[in-house]
């Protein structure tokens, strides 16, 4: 069985400071990992994805994530937060053979303060 | 190329009524997925369909819920005799192919409120 754990339900940062959203996964198979962002009353937008190529993945809006197999982690980072980054972020896993059947974490609400 | 279109965006139903949620996948996409997001929770997989076929419905409640994706027209998620616990956001996603490297594109969701 596969699962994903987002360690923080809420993260608050000041504008211009780094962002770290933590995610650990469990998968019996070689996983694909994704980060999605959801702005209020909007759909989900793909930020980035890892599919067994480079372990450091760069996404949109300056976000990146590093796949660490030894730690079963896929943390999302951004060097400098912007007010427009305030949203909910979901870490998502799928596995070989599961196709696009995605397993979502419970989400991390990011708040960006002036 | 329009994205995944879901309608209605908001739907209010009284207990016992039927709810029909529609999803038009992106052009050229033949794989559709439905997810449900309960308040304060992540999205939960419900069902995966291809044209005229249900491939995986392991996340669908056993009763009152059904889904279809006909040869022509949108995919429909149908909830009969709705109850308050069905209140949630329902998201549809589509992809061009089936596979771990294939990106799924999400619609903006239908927010169902049962009163």
């Amino acid at each position: 069985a596969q699962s994903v754990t987002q360690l923080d339900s809420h993260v608050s940062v000041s504008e211009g400071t780094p962002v770290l959203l933590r995610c650990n996964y469990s998968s019996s198979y070689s996983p694909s990992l994704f980060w999605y962002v959801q702005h209020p009353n909007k759909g989900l937008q793909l930020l980035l994805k890892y599919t067994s190529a480079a372990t450091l993945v760069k996404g949109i809006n300056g976000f990146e994530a590093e796949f660490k197999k030894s730690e079963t982690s896929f943390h999302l980072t951004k060097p400098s937060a912007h007010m427009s980054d305030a949203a909910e972020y979901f870490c998502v896993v799928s596995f070989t053979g599961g196709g696009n059947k995605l397993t979502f974490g419970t989400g991390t609400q990011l708040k960006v303060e002036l | 190329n329009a994205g995944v279109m879901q309608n209605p965006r908001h739907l209010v139903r009284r207990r016992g009524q039927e709810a029909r949620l529609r999803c038009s996948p992106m052009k050229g996409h033949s794989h559709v997925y439905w997810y449900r997001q309960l308040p304060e929770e992540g999205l939960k997989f419900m069902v995966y369909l291809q044209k005229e076929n249900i491939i995986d419905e392991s996340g669908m409640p056993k009763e009152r819920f059904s889904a279809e994706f006909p040869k022509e027209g949108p995919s429909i998620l149908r909830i009969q005799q709705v109850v308050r616990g069905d209140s949630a956001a329902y998201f549809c996603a589509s992809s061009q192919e089936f596979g771990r490297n294939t990106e799924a594109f999400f619609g903006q969701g239908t927010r169902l409120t049962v009163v």
Side-chain angles (χ1 to χ4, degrees), chain A residues 31 46 51 96 100-102, chain B residues 33 35 58 95 100-103:
Chain A
L46 180 67
T51 55
T96 303
N100 277 342
K101 182 178 175 179
L102 304 174
Chain B
Y33 313 80
Y35 291 81
S58 58
S95 68
R100 65 196 296 269
N101 292 330
T102 304
E103 180 180 346

Side-chain angles (χ1 to χ4, degrees), chain A residues 30-32 34 36 38 41-44 46 49 51-52 90 96-102 104-106, chain B residues 9 33 35 37 40-43 45 56 58 91 95 97-104 106-108 111:
Chain A
S30 180
S32 293
F34 310 81
Y36 281 86
Q38 184 180 28
N41 298 315
K42 298 277 183 71
L44 291 111
L46 180 67
K49 63 179 178 181
T51 55
S52 80
F90 292 98
T96 303
N100 277 342
K101 182 178 175 179
L102 304 174
F104 280 74
T106 50
Chain B
R9 292 288 308 279
Y33 313 80
Y35 291 81
Q37 184 179 29
E40 307 297 322
E41 293 187 16
L43 280 73
F45 170 80
D56 181 346
S58 58
F91 287 93
S95 68
E97 299 171 349
F98 178 86
R100 65 196 296 269
N101 292 330
T102 304
E103 180 180 346
F106 282 81
Q108 292 193 303
R111 279 154 183 83

Side-chain angles (χ1 to χ4, degrees), chain A residues 38-93:
Chain A
Q38 184 180 28
H39 288 92
N41 298 315
K42 298 277 183 71
L44 291 111
Q45 182 182 21
L46 180 67
L47 277 178
L48 49 80
K49 63 179 178 181
Y50 165 77
T51 55
S52 80
T55 56
L56 182 62
V57 182
K58 293 189 185 299
I60 61 171
N61 300 336
F63 284 94
E64 61 182 40
E66 186 171 7
F67 173 70
K68 291 188 177 180
K69 188 175 181 178
S70 61
E71 298 176 11
T72 62
S73 69
F74 190 58
H75 301 333
L76 181 71
T77 59
K78 182 174 180 177
S80 176
H82 191 272
M83 293 296 288
S84 61
D85 294 328
E88 184 140 30
Y89 292 79
F90 292 98
C91 183
V92 182
V93 63

Side-chain angles (χ1 to χ4, degrees), chain B residues 56-68:
Chain B
D56 181 346
E57 56 181 349
S58 58
M60 287 278 270
K62 293 287 185 277
E63 297 177 348
R64 301 187 298 108
F65 285 71
S66 62
E68 63 177 12

